[in-house]
Amino acid sequence: MTTARTAACVLAAWVLVAAGLADLGSARAPLGSKPQREFDYFALSLQWPGTICASTRHCCATNGCCRSEPLQTFTIHGLWPDYDDGTWPSCCRRTQFDMDKILPLKEVLDKYWPSLYCSKSGTCFSGKGLFWAHEWEKHGTCSAPVVQDELQYFTIALDLYFKYNVTEMLSSGGIQVSNGKEYALSDVIDTIKHAFGGSPQIVCKSGSVQELRLCFDKELKPRDCLTTSLTIGSVSKSKHCPRYITLPTYDPLVLANSTVEVMSQFDEFELYGVVRKEIWYRPDMYFYRDMLYMLARNKKINETRQVWADLKSEDVLFDQHTYGDIVRAFCDAGLTDLAMEIYEDMRSSPDPPLSLPFRVILKGLVPYPELREKIKQDFLELFPDMIVYDPPDTLSDIDEEFKF
Ligand SMILES: *[C@@H]1O[C@H](CO)[C@@H](O)[C@H](O)[C@H]1NC(C)=O
Ligand SMILES: *[C@@H]1O[C@H](CO)[C@@H](O)[C@H](O)[C@H]1NC(C)=O
Ligand SMILES: *[C@@H]1O[C@H](CO)[C@@H](O)[C@H](O)[C@H]1NC(C)=O
């Protein structure tokens, strides 16, 4: 994290210098019929994952709510140019979001500026896209003359976020993340005011903080937000903050413990579907290995074929030892046809063959002499100097090494 912070700050410094040297002309006219005038101030909008993620029902790789470690700090929503009259410009210049332009920031953005939803965001110019595309096209393009381009937009936002750590300010003021604990809204506001140097704007959802906004003038110095509109009157009731508010935590919707352990409590294949479709997981070798063990044990042939097709489509590669273990599991279950199909896959895998997995398989094939003879021939061709101990000599228990 220190590295990330340094990277962002270095970049920010660089970009700010560039901005200072640039011609600070007036905001360019937008596309539409009525030009949008230059903005008055910035709001750095931060979101409280504890409030938003509590209603997460579906997971996907891009949803920050689905990380196994719950997010316990404010994350970035966006840097928004605003007018002093309470309105704001949007979609100002036709410059489509381009991920390549902010590639150096990707890791930092993933960490501190995640989307907290799975759905794609509407954008001004490129239809639908990433959360970042939405923020850049809708708000970033209206940030001239302070912000010149996409990279600078994200860099400035990150820099402000690192410089003014709201989570830190609140906890230093005795306002901690905790389920259920209520804090006076006025204390929250005063704590930020004191630490930051300007009044924040706070948006709530059912009495919990959903967003907290810090405001900056065009020199990026702290200033007051227009607090009246949100904390007192005109805002819709649901976003209005009551006198006492909470900063809740949430339980992430992911598989926390080992796949096998968790899945053993369910009908395996049903859960497999849930895991693949609804819960974010890394398609990795161990997930599939465990899944296949389970299917073998329960003799689920059709399901195995489907899982096999899925892992092929996701380019999951097993190493030779894992292949050996999986083939063996299917032999042990008496599903020799499947075992042989998987064995063929093992043979055509790009990794060089190893003798040990062969021995694991040969031992599993002892009850199937014909098949065993075939695999034995393969083994002897691949490893001409080695010996296969035929039963009953295959007593040395190589299985010991292959417990999972
Ligand atoms: C902000 O402060 C919190 C609490 O001290 C800390 O956990 C978090 O890493 C900080 N965030 C950044 C971006 O420095
Ligand atoms: C995961 O493990 C922890 C402790 O080992 C336990 O408290 C928790 O209930 C487990 N979760 C699941 C889903 O099994
Ligand atoms: C497996 O698939 C075959 C052919 O697709 C089908 O006939 C059979 O009923 C399926 N078996 C089970 C248990 O679903």
Side-chain angles (χ1 to χ4, degrees):
M1 197 208 69
T2 323
T3 344
R5 177 199 294 238
T6 315
C9 291
V10 167
L11 256 166
W14 172 77
V15 170
L16 287 171
V17 168
L21 295 175
D23 171 33
L24 300 186
S26 61
R28 249 175 260 173
L31 302 158
S33 42
K34 44 180 188 339
Q36 298 178 71
R37 67 182 195 278
E38 191 178 313
F39 73 102
D40 297 319
Y41 72 97
F42 276 125
L44 176 67
S45 188
L46 306 172
Q47 41 196 355
W48 181 248
T51 300
I52 295 166
C53 298
S55 39
T56 300
R57 293 289 169 265
H58 296 279
C59 269
C60 56
T62 50
N63 186 345
C65 294
C66 300
R67 294 178 193 165
S68 53
E69 284 294 308
L71 293 162
Q72 302 240 22
T73 56
F74 281 89
T75 57
I76 305 174
H77 184 165
L79 180 65
W80 301 342
D82 280 312
Y83 294 129
D84 278 328
D85 64 7
T87 65
W88 58 89
S90 65
C91 306
C92 294
R93 276 186 293 147
R94 185 174 279 278
T95 40
Q96 282 195 14
F97 175 79
D98 178 357
M99 190 64 219
D100 286 346
K101 292 192 173 147
I102 54 168
L103 229 39
L105 300 177
K106 173 91 172 32
E107 205 179 313
V108 188
L109 291 171
D110 277 332
K111 191 158 182 195
Y112 301 109
W113 198 328
S115 168
L116 299 180
Y117 303 91
C118 284
S119 50
K120 288 190 164 182
S121 305
T123 55
C124 306
F125 311 118
S126 47
K128 280 187 173 267
L130 294 173
F131 181 39
W132 304 324
H134 168 86
E135 293 301 313
W136 161 248
E137 292 187 12
K138 183 167 179 197
H139 304 287
T141 60
C142 301
S143 307
V146 179
V147 169
Q148 303 292 325
D149 59 35
E150 189 186 309
L151 177 62
Q152 197 189 15
Y153 174 73
F154 288 95
T155 308
I156 289 178
L158 284 168
D159 194 40
L160 294 173
Y161 174 74
F162 288 124
K163 189 164 175 188
Y164 302 102
N165 184 337
V166 163
T167 316
E168 176 86 48
M169 292 175 195
L170 289 174
S171 71
S172 302
I175 295 165
Q176 308 280 357
V177 178
S178 73
N179 252 336
K181 179 126 202 239
E182 296 194 329
Y183 297 98
L185 176 63
S186 56
D187 286 348
V188 174
I189 290 173
D190 288 346
T191 301
I192 297 292
K193 223 167 162 171
H194 177 76
F196 170 68
S199 279
Q201 190 181 53
I202 300 178
V203 179
C204 289
K205 184 185 173 192
S206 313
S208 297
V209 175
Q210 180 170 358
E211 300 229 340
L212 193 154
R213 296 172 189 152
L214 298 178
C215 296
F216 299 88
D217 65 21
K218 286 192 253 188
E219 255 100 54
L220 306 177
K221 298 270 184 301
R223 58 158 268 175
D224 290 340
C225 294
L226 302 181
T227 53
T228 45
S229 62
L230 280 170
T231 47
I232 307 171
S234 63
V235 155
S236 70
K237 259 222 167 77
S238 63
K239 296 196 167 189
H240 177 80
C241 291
R243 281 179 59 203
Y244 288 88
I245 58 179
T246 61
L247 278 169
T249 55
Y250 67 101
D251 294 322
L253 187 68
V254 290
L255 291 182
N257 294 347
S258 119
T259 323
V260 174
E261 249 174 55
V262 177
M263 292 203 299
S264 63
Q265 297 158 22
F266 297 85
D267 172 80
E268 298 81 19
F269 199 70
E270 196 176 276
L271 191 72
Y272 171 76
V274 172
V275 170
R276 283 201 73 228
K277 292 202 190 70
E278 307 215 0
I279 296 181
W280 173 55
Y281 73 100
R282 284 180 206 287
D284 71 9
M285 185 175 92
Y286 300 107
F287 168 78
Y288 278 109
R289 183 200 60 185
D290 293 350
M291 193 65 223
L292 290 164
Y293 283 156
M294 203 92 62
L295 292 172
R297 223 178 289 143
N298 292 285
K299 305 197 195 311
K300 308 239 175 175
I301 297 169
N302 290 2
E303 289 86 346
T304 300
R305 289 191 201 284
Q306 190 185 321
V307 170
W308 202 260
D310 289 340
L311 70 90
K312 289 284 149 203
S313 74
E314 290 180 7
D315 294 325
V316 174
L317 289 176
F318 293 123
D319 61 36
Q320 292 286 298
H321 289 299
T322 306
Y323 261 120
D325 292 352
I326 293 169
V327 173
R328 173 63 183 273
F330 281 88
C331 295
D332 289 351
L335 304 176
T336 48
D337 288 354
L338 275 173
M340 288 307 105
E341 285 174 35
I342 297 169
Y343 170 75
E344 290 308 323
D345 257 73
M346 168 180 158
R347 291 299 312 276
S348 53
S349 119
D351 293 336
L354 300 171
S355 65
L356 219 41
F358 272 88
R359 293 187 185 281
V360 170
I361 295 169
L362 285 169
K363 180 143 190 274
L365 285 174
V366 168
Y368 311 96
E370 268 178 48
L371 285 176
R372 188 168 185 280
E373 197 54 34
K374 180 183 167 298
I375 310 293
K376 185 177 157 186
Q377 293 313 315
D378 290 350
F379 177 83
L380 292 174
E381 263 173 47
L382 288 165
F383 309 100
D385 301 334
M386 291 191 185
I387 298 166
V388 179
Y389 296 103
D390 289 318
D393 297 336
T394 29
L395 291 176
S396 68
D397 206 350
I398 45 178
D399 283 351
E400 288 309 312
E401 294 171 55
F402 291 93
K403 294 249 163 74
F404 57 87

